[in-house]
């Protein structure tokens, strides 16, 4: 077991039964011209965490952990996009409309790709999800079960929407979940802070939270003093 100094108390995980789940680090959320910006958000807060998420993925790869990437995406026909999702609010462009990076939030379009710096490599699992939670209408639950995964380490965007929704889904399915707090971000700093408080309150009612440095230190202790840059 590897034990991380986390809140509300230490998080212990068996690395061979643990997956890193990187939520929606897509151009559509992180770069100008995508879905996030059409909703009126300043995406620069999200762009800023890319190096930290890259460091986390590098750690997981070096340690041989299962790595899962998710993409919020819809079929080109929008058959998997509820009208309630497409028609909500007053975005400058709606899901499926043509934008500067291709059709907004449509699978296979340039804007829907994971940012280059975090691109999945061979052997990693990529889950396309039509909803905010990564377990809804996807094979994620089956994939994790077949691999014998019991613990999930989370990163990605946005903290209070797709990350928190997926963490809650995972918690209800019996996974012990750790959120790496500097490898997740929101367009709204107060929402990120509130989400971290919510998930860790009441004795970790949804899970644990810790900075990447705490995870790196825990792995280094386990590996006999190797440190991660
Ligand atoms: C949102 C997400 N915020 N990936 N999606 O619509 O959090």
């Amino acid at each position: 077991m590897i034990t991380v100094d986390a809140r509300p108390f230490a998080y212990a995980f068996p690395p061979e039964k643990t997956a890193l789940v990187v939520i929606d680090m897509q151009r559509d959320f992180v770069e100008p011209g995508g879905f996030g910006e059409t909703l009126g958000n300043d995406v620069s807060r999200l762009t800023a965490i890319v190096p930290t998420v890259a460091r986390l993925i590098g750690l997981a790869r070096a340690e041989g952990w299962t790595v899962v990437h998710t993409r919020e995406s819809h079929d080109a026909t929008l058959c998997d996009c509820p009208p309630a999702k497409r028609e909500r609010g007053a975005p400058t462009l709606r899901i499926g409309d043509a934008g500067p990076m291709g059709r907004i939030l449509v699978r296979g379009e340039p804007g829907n790709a994971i940012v280059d710096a975090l691109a999945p490599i061979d052997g990693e699992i990529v889950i396309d999800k039509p909803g905010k939670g990564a377990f809804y209408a996807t094979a994620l639950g089956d994939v994790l079960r077949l691999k014998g995964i019991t613990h999930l380490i989370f990163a990605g965007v946005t903290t209070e929407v797709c990350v928190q929704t997926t963490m809650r889904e995972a918690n209800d399915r019996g996974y012990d979940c750790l959120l790496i707090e500097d490898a997740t971000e929101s367009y709204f700093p107060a929402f990120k802070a509130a989400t971290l408080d919510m998930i860790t309150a009441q004795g970790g009612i949804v899970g644990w939270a810790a900075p990447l440095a705490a995870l790196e230190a825990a792995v280094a202790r386990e590996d006999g003093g190797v440190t991660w840059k």
Side-chain angles (χ1 to χ4, degrees):
M1 293 292 262
I2 295 177
T3 303
V4 184
D5 187 10
R7 60 172 158 142
F9 52 87
Y11 174 81
F13 68 97
E16 69 287 356
K17 293 184 180 176
T18 299
L20 170 65
V21 182
V22 183
I23 301 283
D24 299 358
M25 289 300 294
Q26 301 163 247
R27 301 182 67 201
D28 259 324
F29 294 104
V30 171
E31 293 185 10
F35 183 59
E37 196 178 70
T38 70
L39 295 173
N41 299 304
D42 169 6
V43 298
S44 61
R45 296 184 54 79
L46 274 55
T47 313
I49 67 162
V50 169
T52 308
V53 179
R55 221 169 85 208
L56 174 58
I57 293 173
L59 173 63
R61 286 176 182 160
E63 292 294 315
W65 303 341
T66 296
V67 178
V68 178
H69 305 259
T70 71
R71 295 185 292 220
E72 184 173 343
S73 66
H74 293 282
D75 183 80
T77 63
L78 302 189
C79 62
D80 56 359
C81 181
K85 182 175 181 182
R86 180 171 148 77
E87 288 158 20
R88 183 126 355 124
T92 53
L93 292 171
R94 293 189 188 276
I95 296 169
D97 289 349
M101 296 192 288
R103 293 179 67 200
I104 299 291
L105 227 55
V106 168
R107 219 163 286 149
E109 297 287 335
N112 205 237
I114 291 168
V115 297
D116 284 347
L118 308 177
I121 61 172
D122 281 354
E124 294 181 347
I125 296 155
V126 180
I127 299 287
D128 281 301
K129 60 184 186 61
K132 303 306 182 193
F135 286 85
Y136 168 70
T138 75
L140 180 60
D142 288 337
V143 169
L144 297 177
R145 189 173 43 77
L146 287 170
K147 285 185 156 293
I149 299 294
T150 56
H151 289 64
L152 299 174
I153 297 176
F154 281 95
V157 296
T158 60
T159 315
E160 78 282 8
V161 185
C162 291
V163 175
Q164 180 174 209
T165 302
T166 303
M167 222 170 143
R168 287 177 180 275
E169 289 180 325
N171 186 53
D172 281 349
R173 286 165 172 78
Y175 294 95
D176 277 334
C177 300
L178 171 69
L179 177 55
I180 302 301
E181 51 195 52
D182 45 348
T184 184
E185 197 46 86
S186 169
Y187 301 118
F188 308 94
F191 289 177
K192 173 178 175 178
T195 302
L196 291 167
D197 287 346
M198 275 189 266
I199 65 169
T200 57
Q202 303 176 77
I205 198 152
V206 177
W208 287 256
L212 177 55
L215 177 64
E216 291 171 328
V219 171
R221 279 195 300 275
E222 181 74 9
D223 287 353
V226 179
T227 50
W228 291 94
K229 297 275 180 254

